[in-house]
Amino acid sequence: MQEINSLISSFIKELDYEPILQMYERISTGKMLRSKLIMAIAGSSENAINLCAIVEMIHLASLLHDDVIDEADTRRGTPSINALYGTKDAVMLGDVLYSKAFSKLSGFAPEISNKISNAVAGLSVGELMDVRLGDGFSVDVEAYWRMIYLKTAILIEASAYSAAVLAGFDADKFGVYGKSLGLAFQIIDDVLDITQSSEVLGKPALNDFSEGKTTLPYIYLYERLGESDKERLKSLYKKSLSYDEVMWLKKVMRESGAINECVNRAKTLAAEALEAISEYKNEKLQSIIKNMIDREF
Ligand code: FPP
Ligand code: MG
């Protein structure tokens, strides 16, 4: 992962403007799931490492813009770039990262460059859908699935697909793995927002609902509540919650079975991901799934 980060730094140095590097260095690195996936499929060839750097730059750019859109002050437990430098710099740093990534992507075969660039277009549509869905309380489960596929899973799908092209494997099968992994990952992220503390999350807990995101646990919860509790839930939408409201929400999320149902959906998707690539017996891909699923919720 260190090699990938150094490569990104060297791409940024090619731009020959010190403030960009300074700002880039203030971004805290995440789990680098997409790179782990690419390397688990395609190994550590020069092409694979370049692809990792490209995908991480696109992902970082999307998070910089997302933090502006969500007006988020923290990312991964540290101040967001918009909090440190203001929204203008955060938007422009995002622009620099993804345009440099595309310039490097143009050196790849069309099958890969098309897949990744189409995924980024999808990513942007997904973010727009997410913002639109945030206009009001929404329990439209089909809209939720479509939005999380585009916002989260499509770039993971394209990463796995492209890595398989590099390795000469059946890319469609790895695409299915990536898509199912991506969907499961987003559901788990939505569950952890409710069940974990802000210290563990590195951002405020129970943040999604107050940001206007009616995620899958809230959709399942709504379906399970009686009429008066349904109204109570709706009344908490986009509110900053009191201690009693937090306790009520956490209690009904567990007692209604909404959390369990989400975890089960994520586990089913994880099993589908593994099934798609079972013939390859790739232990690293198996452990990526296991690390995501085998935990306390
Ligand atoms: C995080 O969602 C957001 C994304 C994964 C995608 C954001 C995509 C864009 C802003 C499109 C623009 C793309 C480029 C390349 C500039 P979240 O807010 O639900 O999660 P969070 O809790 O991590 O903020
Ligand atoms: Mg966000």
Side-chain angles (χ1 to χ4, degrees):
M1 295 303 121
Q2 190 47 51
E3 202 180 334
I4 298 161
N5 286 326
S6 305
L7 189 59
I8 298 176
S9 294
S10 78
F11 290 165
I12 290 171
K13 283 180 190 146
E14 288 172 11
L15 297 162
D16 197 21
Y17 190 55
E18 188 58 27
I20 298 175
L21 191 64
Q22 279 173 12
M23 280 197 283
Y24 166 71
E25 282 170 354
R26 296 296 301 265
I27 306 176
S28 60
T29 45
K31 297 181 285 294
M32 300 178 78
L33 169 71
R34 292 151 194 81
S35 293
K36 285 183 185 141
L37 196 56
I38 291 168
M39 291 179 71
I41 298 167
S44 51
S45 66
E46 194 183 334
N47 272 340
I49 303 283
N50 269 295
L51 186 63
C52 289
I54 289 166
V55 170
E56 291 301 335
M57 286 165 84
I58 292 169
H59 177 58
L60 286 178
S62 77
L63 295 183
L64 290 176
H65 285 189
D66 179 67
D67 283 342
V68 170
I69 293 164
D70 289 343
E71 297 175 20
D73 293 332
T74 53
R75 164 73 58 192
R76 297 164 181 159
T78 57
S80 60
I81 294 296
N82 46 308
L84 288 170
Y85 296 95
T87 57
K88 290 181 185 175
D89 278 5
V91 169
M92 291 184 287
L93 182 60
D95 292 341
V96 165
L97 286 172
Y98 81 73
S99 44
K100 191 71 184 164
F102 275 101
S103 134
K104 298 290 174 189
L105 184 63
S106 66
F108 277 80
E111 191 179 7
I112 292 177
S113 57
N114 282 336
K115 191 77 181 178
I116 301 281
S117 48
N118 278 323
V120 181
L123 191 70
S124 310
V125 175
E127 181 79 351
L128 255 171
M129 281 180 182
D130 196 17
V131 172
R132 289 282 182 285
L133 283 170
D135 284 345
F137 182 78
S138 160
V139 288
D140 181 345
V141 75
E142 286 310 316
Y144 169 86
W145 284 115
R146 205 159 158 240
M147 183 275 288
I148 69 162
Y149 167 58
L150 292 169
K151 192 184 73 166
T152 306
I154 199 168
L155 186 59
I156 300 175
E157 177 186 31
S159 302
Y161 179 99
S162 303
V165 173
L166 285 181
F169 298 149
D170 183 334
D172 286 328
K173 289 183 177 163
F174 284 85
V176 171
Y177 172 92
K179 178 179 177 178
S180 303
L181 168 73
L183 293 172
F185 176 78
Q186 185 59 55
I187 296 170
I188 288 173
D189 199 56
D190 293 347
V191 166
L192 296 177
D193 175 85
I194 296 158
T195 60
Q196 307 298 304
S197 67
S198 58
E199 289 75 29
V200 173
L201 294 170
K203 60 183 179 185
L206 286 163
N207 195 39
D208 287 340
F209 205 49
S210 56
E211 268 188 354
K213 295 175 204 238
T214 317
T215 58
L216 195 63
Y218 291 92
I219 297 174
Y220 285 163
L221 174 64
Y222 186 78
E223 288 168 359
R224 284 164 174 71
L225 291 177
E227 283 313 314
S228 66
D229 281 339
K230 274 188 165 73
E231 290 311 310
R232 183 163 188 199
L233 180 63
K234 279 201 271 186
S235 77
L236 302 182
Y237 180 66
K238 282 193 188 173
K239 295 270 165 59
S240 95
L241 303 178
S242 70
Y243 177 80
D244 285 349
E245 289 164 343
V246 168
M247 287 301 133
W248 177 76
L249 206 44
K250 286 188 176 237
K251 178 170 156 278
V252 286
M253 278 287 183
R254 294 256 179 227
E255 287 180 0
S256 67
I259 293 292
N260 257 341
E261 178 74 17
C262 289
V263 172
N264 287 338
R265 283 296 285 133
K267 284 186 173 163
T268 304
L269 283 160
E272 285 166 11
L274 288 176
E275 176 61 30
I277 48 133
S278 58
E279 73 200 74
Y280 290 91
K281 310 218 179 313
N282 184 321
E283 283 177 16
K284 285 185 185 150
L285 292 183
Q286 288 163 358
S287 72
I288 287 176
I289 295 274
K290 211 169 144 26
N291 290 341
M292 192 176 72
I293 291 291
D294 286 349
R295 57 193 295 172
E296 289 292 319
F297 293 98

